[in-house]
Each structure stands twice: as C-alpha cells, then as structure tokens.
Amino acid sequence: MSDWTYTVSVRSLCEFTAKQGDLDRRFTPSATALEGQAGQMVVYARRSPGYETELPLEGQWGQLRVRGRADGYEADVNRLEEIKTIRGPVERIPHNRQALHWAQLETYGALIAADRGLTELELALVYVDADTQNETVLRQTATAAALQAAFEARCEAFEHWARQEADHRRQRDTALTALPFPLGELRPGQRLLAEAVYRVAANGRCLLAQAPTGIGKTLGTLYPLLRAMPGAQLDKIGYMTCKGTGRITALEALHALREHTPGRHLRVLTLVAKEQACEHPTLACHGDACPLARGFYDKLPAARAEAVAAGWLDPAAQRRIALQHGLCPYYLGQELLRWADVVVGDVHHAFDTHGQLYGLAQSQGWKLALLVDEAHNLIDRTRDMYSTSLSLARVREVLAEAPAPLRAPLRRLAVELADLAREQASDYQPLPQVPDDLAEALQRVNAALAEHVQNHPLDVGPMLQFYFEVLGLQRLLDRLDAHSLCDLQRSSAAAPRVTEAPSNLSLLDGDPADETQDALLSVRNIVPGHFLKERFEGLHSVTLFSATLGPPDYPRQLLGLPDDTAWIDVPAPFPPEHLTVQVAHRLSTRYEHREASLDALVDLIATQFGRHPGNYLAFFSSFDYLDRAAARLALRHPELPQWSQSRAMADGARRAFLDRFVPEGRGIGFAVLGGAFAEGVDLPGTRLIGAFIATLGLPPVSPLQDLIRERLDTLFGADHGYADLVPGLQKVVQAAGRVLRSVDDRGWVWLLDQRFARSDVRALLPGWWQLR
C-alpha cells in the first residue's frame, strides 16, 4: 500500500519508541489532572509576557504525520519547556518515566526548530511540585540537526507499525461499510433502536434509549455503531457494562458480528480488573519484585504484534499471549487498549476518575463512542465512584500496624474523629464542611503516608492501601459542593476519647471495650453529573440504553448529559394482552401495615397460583419482610412449593436458586427487589410465568434519606421524585421484566400495594401495561 498515511501524537510516538526495560508501576504520589493544570498555570504566571503557551506543532516524515502541543516557548531566551506536575523529589521519578519526558520534549524541539528555522534550542524539563509549587528545572541545549536526527529515528522505528495500522484501519472501515446483520433481518423495535443509534453516532450526539426486553438491545446497538464507524471516522467503540453478566452477552454479540466481518478485520479487547488478571498480587509491579514486570517493554513488541494479529482478545487470549512472552497479562491488556477497535469493560473504565479508557481517549485525541448497557444502574454506579468514607475503626486498625513515623499523625486523626463524634448532638450529623482541626489532621496523615510510600516503593501492604483511601477522601473533600453530602455517623454510644498517649501506652483511655465504638466520616455523591458532564462533552457519542430509563429528565439531569441528548422509547414487542398486570387495591405494604396485611398477601399469592400453576418470583423490600412472608405462606399454604434468596448468597447458591425454575415447574421463589434476581435473569417460556411485587422500591426512612431528598428537591424541584419514587419504580419495572422474555411468552404481574393505582405512580410505569 503506497498511498497510506498515518497521524500520531507526539506522546504516542514517544511511548511506542522510547519505553524500554522494566515495567515500573511502583506507586509514587502523583498530581491529579486538575493539579496538573494548576501547576502549568503557576509556571505560566512566572514567565515573561511574551511567553507562548500550548503551541500546536506538526511535522511530516514520509507518510507519517506527527502532531501535538508543546507546553511553552520563551522566544527571548530560545527555550522550549515541557511542564510536569509531580509530588515529592524529582529524584524519585522512575528513570524510564523521565526518559519518556525527555523524548517528548526533544520531539517537540525538532518540530518547533523545523517550523521556525532555529539552528539550536534550549530544552527545559520543568517539574513543579503540586504541594509547594516549587520548580525543579532540568536543562540541555541541542542543535536542530541533532533533534531532527532523533525525530527521524523515532519515526523510522514507528513506521512499520504505522503502515500496518493504516492498512488495518482501511480494511476495517471497508469491511464495516458492508457488514451484514448476523441474524438476517432486524426485528421492528430493534430497527428503531438501531436507526437512532446510527443517527446520534453520525451526528456526534448522545442518546437515551429506553427499550424493553425481547427486542435484542445488544445487537441493536452494536451493529449500527459498527456500521457508523467508517463514516463518523471513529477510532474506537467502548461497550460498557454496569454488571458482569452484561459483558458475556456483549462478547457473544461481538463474536457473531466479527464472524460476519469480511476478513475479520475487527480487534475486540476485553478490559479485565487488575485483581482478576494479576498473577502475583503480593508483589510490587516492578522488575525488582515481579518477574512479569522484568524487561516488560523489551518483550512487549513481540507480544503486541501477536495480539493484534489474533484480533480476538478476551481474558483467556490476553493471559495466554502475555505468559508466553513472560509479561504481566493485566498491563499487556492496558497496552493493547491503544490498538483495539472495540473495547468491552466495566463502566468505571470510562467514568471513574482513574478510568483508563477515557483518560487515554483524551490524551491521544481519539474519537470514541460509547454504548452503556443496563444504564439505569449508571447513576448509582457513578455515585459510588465519587463517594468514599473513613471509619475511626479503620484508623485504629492501621495505627496498630503503623511504623513509628506514622503513629503521631494517625493518632491525631483518631483524636479528631473521636472528639467530633462524641460532641455531635445525634448519632447522624450532616457536616457543611469538615472542621478545621480534622481537615488539618487528615492533611498531615496524607503527607506522612506520601513520604512513607516514597521511601518504601516496593511495599504493597496495608500502608499503601490506606494511603489510597485517605487520599481519595481528601480529594473529594477538596471538591465538596452541592453535588455531594458530607456527614459523620457514630454508633449508639459516644465514641471514646483518644489521648495523646506515648506510642507504648494504650491508644484509648478507659475500658478497652470502648474501642468497639465507631464513627464513620463520609462524602456521599448525590449528583454525579457534576463530575461526568465534562466526560460526556469530551466523547464523540454516548448511547445509554435500558428497559427502565425514564423519565428522560431523570438520567439527563443527574448524569449531566448534554442538553441536546436525544430520547427514544422503543415500543414493546409483546402484545399487551400477553401480560396481565393487576393491582391489589386493598393491600398496603407500608411498614406500619405489613404485619396486618401479611395473611391477605400470601392468600392472594396462593389464589393466583391455584388458578394458574407455574413458577413465580415474589419480590420484597428487605430480607426481613421476605422471611416473614415466606414463613406465613408456609404456615397457611404448606402445599405450595417455595424457595428463598438468602443474605450473601455465593455463586453456587445463586445458580441453585435459578435451577429450581425448570420448564413446566411449579413453585414460588422469594427474592429481594433490587437484588441479584430482580434484573439480568433470563427465564423464558414456562420457566417463569409470573411475578408478585410487594413493594414500590422506596428507600427506608432515615435522616440521610431526608437530606438526599431535600438536596435533590432544591436542585431539581420538589415534584420529580428523583430521591425515591423514580428509582424505586425502575426497580419494580426491572423485576416485572423477568416475566416476558420473548414475543411468545405469556404471564402475570401482581403489584401488591394499593399505591400502584395512584396517578403519579402509574405515570412512571410502562405505557403498554394495562393495569387492572
């Protein structure tokens, strides 16, 4: 192929050609992206008025186009600067990382020298400390000829790979343009969904797609996005799942699509969690400790070439290739992310602060489109990503194991937590902000732990883990605003007083049993959109799909989606008469009415079972309520077979629960709404013919829930039900969705509470349901 061209960023070129030797992932305290931007601004403010910032530079070598933005150039002294914000001494930056920084600076030097006709140039690698804002500047002077020679050497080293990637991109786009639908014809609802996904991908917009079970959402979203890939010039597609079972379905669909792709010119990569992929979890990720990190970058090229030739890179394939070449499977997967076409993984890869997929897309300038499966879970998942907590018991646990230099700051933190808990008026106390003494104690612990991990880079023990915890808490406290709540929850008795005792004395005065008392400091995110808005804006297109997304303003506002986000509500493929939905108008399952209504509730279940024998699921709001209902049914109707979900069921027990649902079977499976059996469970045909739902899914009454409601009402209005009714009824509809799994299925859903007849509740239920 003689007419190929390939565009590469300066960073990608240098990462490909300059990395060598061992993998070095020893943790060193680093600056956040925001701190990195702040560090750059500090440096810019110190430079002369004529200082140029964010210089766009570009150069050509053969068919290779190299581009990027240099941090700063000071023409008065002919100095080009690369600015890196760090924490701690420059001496502790790993050698291979600093070599990469120099390679980037030298490449920018070659580009600006060629652009401005310079004969020589001073290069300055500027490290600015995020905490002290002090600069450490490493300088060298280079001739334009030397910089050009180094630039050409890097381009030459990359040329073969670039040619291969350009050829793959051309073949991939040609194949996808002609990609047939693997099942022949799209179903009617599936076609509507596919058309909507294609349009938003072509126009660079976001989409909320509410589509019922049974239309084939996985293929109905993947197929049109793959077809849109060439025209929209997408670099990558990410299929993100909120639960692990979604990845299995996605990979099955992608395998079918890849088999129908001419030449199979489609690379599919599954992102795996580190704890699942790591072969040596007790060893530090460094050549001095782990054999799979030793010489990682020297062995990477051969493994990388084998992997991209294979194309299908599920976890088993990644592990096989990695171990064959003596590499870490997890970090090989991270490297292959750069060269995959479709990436399948958990939503945290795209939406978490440290999400690798989103981070690389931004740094590399990728045109990335995402599909988010079971997206009704995304609000809670992202809330968790931007929430954290720290308990007094956890501080005590770490203090008991801490080396001497850490004990004083840890003890001080325990003092402040205990004192704050003891002094508050009630067991639960919201905090508009963390008191100054506690904030200072937390900062001292962070500083002490940062120094400790810098001095012990191969330590992967409890101090490193605790540092991650307190650093995460500190960063969320620094960004505390209306989008999150901060609170302190203590146990029923006051927290004990922690003294400034010497390290060889008891940490607590009084009875050692007092140490069982605890206090929990939490930052609880309520509106993840504050953190996600920028991400949605930085992605080419995002489609969020689920059977339960509405009302559209709920995900749009809480997730921070763009104002022009499209909405589609795909009609159900089932005739309404196939699902009989009935409301128990005389039943109340409110907490204060449960005991009195229990006999009537189980009698209704038995009556329905007697009229239409088969397998049913019965959903309740808690295990306590479930246990009472199951016991009452057994007492009043002992002939009726039943089995129950239990707390903390292992995988084997879950499978055994579902295995009871055999074709033409008869019995009642008791489960908790919102739990493992309320969504993602496929029991087609006569394996399940009905469901009883004895709850509206509303959260328990508590001071915290009252605060959440007040905050959401303040931000979005008091009549939306965002804190309780909307998420509760989404769980109800998800559970009811277990009954009809294909257009031939027929079944019954009983809504066991008179409140289901209210107009505000009915408005949030599927329009095709014909409530009786």
PDB file of all heavy atoms in Angstrom, residues 21 60 71 88 154 186 199-200 214 217 270 396 425 445 448 495 548 577 580 627 692:
ATOM      1  N   GLY A  21      13.083  -1.484  28.942  1.00  0.00           N
ATOM      2  CA  GLY A  21      13.432  -2.002  30.262  1.00  0.00           C
ATOM      3  C   GLY A  21      12.225  -2.513  31.026  1.00  0.00           C
ATOM      4  O   GLY A  21      11.245  -2.994  30.461  1.00  0.00           O
ATOM      5  N   GLN A  60       6.064  16.244   9.356  1.00  0.00           N
ATOM      6  CA  GLN A  60       5.831  15.131   8.446  1.00  0.00           C
ATOM      7  C   GLN A  60       7.135  14.385   8.247  1.00  0.00           C
ATOM      8  O   GLN A  60       8.212  14.979   8.091  1.00  0.00           O
ATOM      9  CB  GLN A  60       5.319  15.660   7.094  1.00  0.00           C
ATOM     10  CG  GLN A  60       4.793  14.598   6.164  1.00  0.00           C
ATOM     11  CD  GLN A  60       3.333  14.261   6.401  1.00  0.00           C
ATOM     12  OE1 GLN A  60       2.607  15.035   7.013  1.00  0.00           O
ATOM     13  NE2 GLN A  60       2.899  13.097   5.925  1.00  0.00           N
ATOM     14  N   ASP A  71       4.133  22.652  25.761  1.00  0.00           N
ATOM     15  CA  ASP A  71       3.611  23.425  26.901  1.00  0.00           C
ATOM     16  C   ASP A  71       3.967  24.903  26.811  1.00  0.00           C
ATOM     17  O   ASP A  71       3.112  25.761  27.058  1.00  0.00           O
ATOM     18  CB  ASP A  71       4.143  22.851  28.219  1.00  0.00           C
ATOM     19  CG  ASP A  71       3.510  21.511  28.549  1.00  0.00           C
ATOM     20  OD1 ASP A  71       2.368  21.280  28.100  1.00  0.00           O
ATOM     21  OD2 ASP A  71       4.139  20.690  29.237  1.00  0.00           O
ATOM     22  N   GLY A  88       6.629  15.293  45.543  1.00  0.00           N
ATOM     23  CA  GLY A  88       7.854  14.712  46.067  1.00  0.00           C
ATOM     24  C   GLY A  88       9.075  15.080  45.247  1.00  0.00           C
ATOM     25  O   GLY A  88       8.987  15.797  44.234  1.00  0.00           O
ATOM     26  N   ARG A 154      12.983   8.090  15.618  1.00  0.00           N
ATOM     27  CA  ARG A 154      11.734   7.629  16.244  1.00  0.00           C
ATOM     28  C   ARG A 154      10.690   7.314  15.172  1.00  0.00           C
ATOM     29  O   ARG A 154       9.965   6.323  15.276  1.00  0.00           O
ATOM     30  CB  ARG A 154      11.207   8.691  17.212  1.00  0.00           C
ATOM     31  CG  ARG A 154      12.051   8.831  18.457  1.00  0.00           C
ATOM     32  CD  ARG A 154      11.385   9.695  19.532  1.00  0.00           C
ATOM     33  NE  ARG A 154      12.305   9.839  20.647  1.00  0.00           N
ATOM     34  CZ  ARG A 154      13.106  10.885  20.846  1.00  0.00           C
ATOM     35  NH1 ARG A 154      13.044  11.912  20.012  1.00  0.00           N
ATOM     36  NH2 ARG A 154      13.938  10.908  21.864  1.00  0.00           N
ATOM     37  N   LEU A 186     -33.482  -7.312  10.997  1.00  0.00           N
ATOM     38  CA  LEU A 186     -33.703  -6.723  12.312  1.00  0.00           C
ATOM     39  C   LEU A 186     -35.186  -6.796  12.660  1.00  0.00           C
ATOM     40  O   LEU A 186     -36.045  -6.634  11.782  1.00  0.00           O
ATOM     41  CB  LEU A 186     -33.255  -5.261  12.342  1.00  0.00           C
ATOM     42  CG  LEU A 186     -31.750  -4.994  12.364  1.00  0.00           C
ATOM     43  CD1 LEU A 186     -31.235  -4.770  10.942  1.00  0.00           C
ATOM     44  CD2 LEU A 186     -31.433  -3.788  13.226  1.00  0.00           C
ATOM     45  N   ARG A 199     -27.934   7.375  13.952  1.00  0.00           N
ATOM     46  CA  ARG A 199     -28.067   8.823  13.746  1.00  0.00           C
ATOM     47  C   ARG A 199     -27.222   9.611  14.750  1.00  0.00           C
ATOM     48  O   ARG A 199     -26.533  10.562  14.365  1.00  0.00           O
ATOM     49  CB  ARG A 199     -29.539   9.237  13.864  1.00  0.00           C
ATOM     50  CG  ARG A 199     -30.368   8.933  12.634  1.00  0.00           C
ATOM     51  CD  ARG A 199     -31.692   9.691  12.661  1.00  0.00           C
ATOM     52  NE  ARG A 199     -32.489   9.314  13.829  1.00  0.00           N
ATOM     53  CZ  ARG A 199     -33.377   8.342  13.828  1.00  0.00           C
ATOM     54  NH1 ARG A 199     -33.575   7.614  12.739  1.00  0.00           N
ATOM     55  NH2 ARG A 199     -34.082   8.075  14.929  1.00  0.00           N
ATOM     56  N   VAL A 200     -27.278   9.248  16.023  1.00  0.00           N
ATOM     57  CA  VAL A 200     -26.520  10.033  17.003  1.00  0.00           C
ATOM     58  C   VAL A 200     -25.023   9.844  16.808  1.00  0.00           C
ATOM     59  O   VAL A 200     -24.226  10.774  17.038  1.00  0.00           O
ATOM     60  CB  VAL A 200     -26.936   9.702  18.457  1.00  0.00           C
ATOM     61  CG1 VAL A 200     -28.377  10.089  18.699  1.00  0.00           C
ATOM     62  CG2 VAL A 200     -26.671   8.253  18.820  1.00  0.00           C
ATOM     63  N   GLY A 214     -36.469  -8.240  25.047  1.00  0.00           N
ATOM     64  CA  GLY A 214     -37.022  -9.036  23.956  1.00  0.00           C
ATOM     65  C   GLY A 214     -36.771  -8.496  22.571  1.00  0.00           C
ATOM     66  O   GLY A 214     -37.055  -9.178  21.587  1.00  0.00           O
ATOM     67  N   LYS A 217     -31.385  -5.762  22.392  1.00  0.00           N
ATOM     68  CA  LYS A 217     -30.715  -4.456  22.544  1.00  0.00           C
ATOM     69  C   LYS A 217     -29.225  -4.520  22.255  1.00  0.00           C
ATOM     70  O   LYS A 217     -28.640  -3.573  21.733  1.00  0.00           O
ATOM     71  CB  LYS A 217     -30.946  -3.915  23.965  1.00  0.00           C
ATOM     72  CG  LYS A 217     -32.381  -3.526  24.249  1.00  0.00           C
ATOM     73  CD  LYS A 217     -32.515  -2.793  25.570  1.00  0.00           C
ATOM     74  CE  LYS A 217     -32.344  -3.681  26.776  1.00  0.00           C
ATOM     75  NZ  LYS A 217     -33.475  -4.615  26.952  1.00  0.00           N
ATOM     76  N   THR A 270     -11.248  -7.242  25.709  1.00  0.00           N
ATOM     77  CA  THR A 270     -11.970  -7.197  26.982  1.00  0.00           C
ATOM     78  C   THR A 270     -11.043  -6.616  28.045  1.00  0.00           C
ATOM     79  O   THR A 270      -9.942  -7.133  28.260  1.00  0.00           O
ATOM     80  CB  THR A 270     -12.412  -8.600  27.418  1.00  0.00           C
ATOM     81  OG1 THR A 270     -13.162  -9.210  26.376  1.00  0.00           O
ATOM     82  CG2 THR A 270     -13.255  -8.528  28.681  1.00  0.00           C
ATOM     83  N   ARG A 396      -7.844   3.141  63.661  1.00  0.00           N
ATOM     84  CA  ARG A 396      -7.247   2.373  64.757  1.00  0.00           C
ATOM     85  C   ARG A 396      -6.533   1.126  64.247  1.00  0.00           C
ATOM     86  O   ARG A 396      -5.446   0.772  64.716  1.00  0.00           O
ATOM     87  CB  ARG A 396      -8.334   1.949  65.742  1.00  0.00           C
ATOM     88  CG  ARG A 396      -8.925   3.073  66.568  1.00  0.00           C
ATOM     89  CD  ARG A 396     -10.061   2.513  67.404  1.00  0.00           C
ATOM     90  NE  ARG A 396     -10.674   3.518  68.240  1.00  0.00           N
ATOM     91  CZ  ARG A 396     -11.965   3.599  68.493  1.00  0.00           C
ATOM     92  NH1 ARG A 396     -12.789   2.739  67.922  1.00  0.00           N
ATOM     93  NH2 ARG A 396     -12.438   4.527  69.300  1.00  0.00           N
ATOM     94  N   ALA A 425     -24.636  16.231  68.356  1.00  0.00           N
ATOM     95  CA  ALA A 425     -25.876  16.141  69.122  1.00  0.00           C
ATOM     96  C   ALA A 425     -26.624  14.835  68.894  1.00  0.00           C
ATOM     97  O   ALA A 425     -27.397  14.408  69.745  1.00  0.00           O
ATOM     98  CB  ALA A 425     -26.772  17.323  68.774  1.00  0.00           C
ATOM     99  N   VAL A 445      -1.835  13.318  57.859  1.00  0.00           N
ATOM    100  CA  VAL A 445      -1.747  11.885  57.583  1.00  0.00           C
ATOM    101  C   VAL A 445      -1.406  11.654  56.116  1.00  0.00           C
ATOM    102  O   VAL A 445      -0.566  10.811  55.790  1.00  0.00           O
ATOM    103  CB  VAL A 445      -3.075  11.187  57.958  1.00  0.00           C
ATOM    104  CG1 VAL A 445      -3.128   9.767  57.386  1.00  0.00           C
ATOM    105  CG2 VAL A 445      -3.238  11.140  59.469  1.00  0.00           C
ATOM    106  N   ALA A 448       2.290  12.415  55.634  1.00  0.00           N
ATOM    107  CA  ALA A 448       3.145  11.389  56.236  1.00  0.00           C
ATOM    108  C   ALA A 448       3.118  10.097  55.429  1.00  0.00           C
ATOM    109  O   ALA A 448       4.159   9.459  55.216  1.00  0.00           O
ATOM    110  CB  ALA A 448       2.697  11.133  57.675  1.00  0.00           C
ATOM    111  N   ALA A 495     -18.354   7.941  70.868  1.00  0.00           N
ATOM    112  CA  ALA A 495     -17.027   7.421  70.573  1.00  0.00           C
ATOM    113  C   ALA A 495     -16.093   7.711  71.735  1.00  0.00           C
ATOM    114  O   ALA A 495     -16.186   8.744  72.383  1.00  0.00           O
ATOM    115  CB  ALA A 495     -16.489   8.071  69.295  1.00  0.00           C
ATOM    116  N   THR A 548     -35.438   0.447  31.548  1.00  0.00           N
ATOM    117  CA  THR A 548     -36.006   1.378  32.537  1.00  0.00           C
ATOM    118  C   THR A 548     -35.109   2.590  32.696  1.00  0.00           C
ATOM    119  O   THR A 548     -34.260   2.635  33.579  1.00  0.00           O
ATOM    120  CB  THR A 548     -36.175   0.682  33.905  1.00  0.00           C
ATOM    121  OG1 THR A 548     -34.919   0.075  34.274  1.00  0.00           O
ATOM    122  CG2 THR A 548     -37.227  -0.405  33.845  1.00  0.00           C
ATOM    123  N   GLU A 577     -51.946  -7.935  25.698  1.00  0.00           N
ATOM    124  CA  GLU A 577     -52.741  -8.994  26.313  1.00  0.00           C
ATOM    125  C   GLU A 577     -51.893 -10.186  26.774  1.00  0.00           C
ATOM    126  O   GLU A 577     -52.376 -11.063  27.501  1.00  0.00           O
ATOM    127  CB  GLU A 577     -53.834  -9.482  25.348  1.00  0.00           C
ATOM    128  CG  GLU A 577     -53.326 -10.050  24.034  1.00  0.00           C
ATOM    129  CD  GLU A 577     -53.153  -9.002  22.938  1.00  0.00           C
ATOM    130  OE1 GLU A 577     -53.125  -7.785  23.274  1.00  0.00           O
ATOM    131  OE2 GLU A 577     -53.029  -9.402  21.768  1.00  0.00           O
ATOM    132  N   THR A 580     -50.731  -9.895  31.917  1.00  0.00           N
ATOM    133  CA  THR A 580     -51.825  -9.431  32.767  1.00  0.00           C
ATOM    134  C   THR A 580     -51.218  -8.756  33.996  1.00  0.00           C
ATOM    135  O   THR A 580     -50.517  -9.405  34.783  1.00  0.00           O
ATOM    136  CB  THR A 580     -52.715 -10.607  33.200  1.00  0.00           C
ATOM    137  OG1 THR A 580     -53.225 -11.262  32.039  1.00  0.00           O
ATOM    138  CG2 THR A 580     -53.853 -10.124  34.076  1.00  0.00           C
ATOM    139  N   ASP A 627     -38.549 -12.992  54.661  1.00  0.00           N
ATOM    140  CA  ASP A 627     -38.596 -14.140  55.570  1.00  0.00           C
ATOM    141  C   ASP A 627     -39.965 -14.273  56.239  1.00  0.00           C
ATOM    142  O   ASP A 627     -40.497 -15.393  56.385  1.00  0.00           O
ATOM    143  CB  ASP A 627     -37.516 -13.999  56.640  1.00  0.00           C
ATOM    144  CG  ASP A 627     -36.105 -14.137  56.073  1.00  0.00           C
ATOM    145  OD1 ASP A 627     -35.968 -14.702  54.973  1.00  0.00           O
ATOM    146  OD2 ASP A 627     -35.151 -13.673  56.738  1.00  0.00           O
ATOM    147  N   PHE A 692     -44.834 -11.471  41.692  1.00  0.00           N
ATOM    148  CA  PHE A 692     -45.547 -10.684  42.704  1.00  0.00           C
ATOM    149  C   PHE A 692     -44.554  -9.651  43.238  1.00  0.00           C
ATOM    150  O   PHE A 692     -43.437 -10.017  43.621  1.00  0.00           O
ATOM    151  CB  PHE A 692     -46.019 -11.574  43.854  1.00  0.00           C
ATOM    152  CG  PHE A 692     -46.875 -12.742  43.428  1.00  0.00           C
ATOM    153  CD1 PHE A 692     -46.319 -14.000  43.243  1.00  0.00           C
ATOM    154  CD2 PHE A 692     -48.232 -12.575  43.216  1.00  0.00           C
ATOM    155  CE1 PHE A 692     -47.097 -15.081  42.855  1.00  0.00           C
ATOM    156  CE2 PHE A 692     -49.027 -13.648  42.827  1.00  0.00           C
ATOM    157  CZ  PHE A 692     -48.459 -14.907  42.645  1.00  0.00           C
TER     158      PHE A 692
END
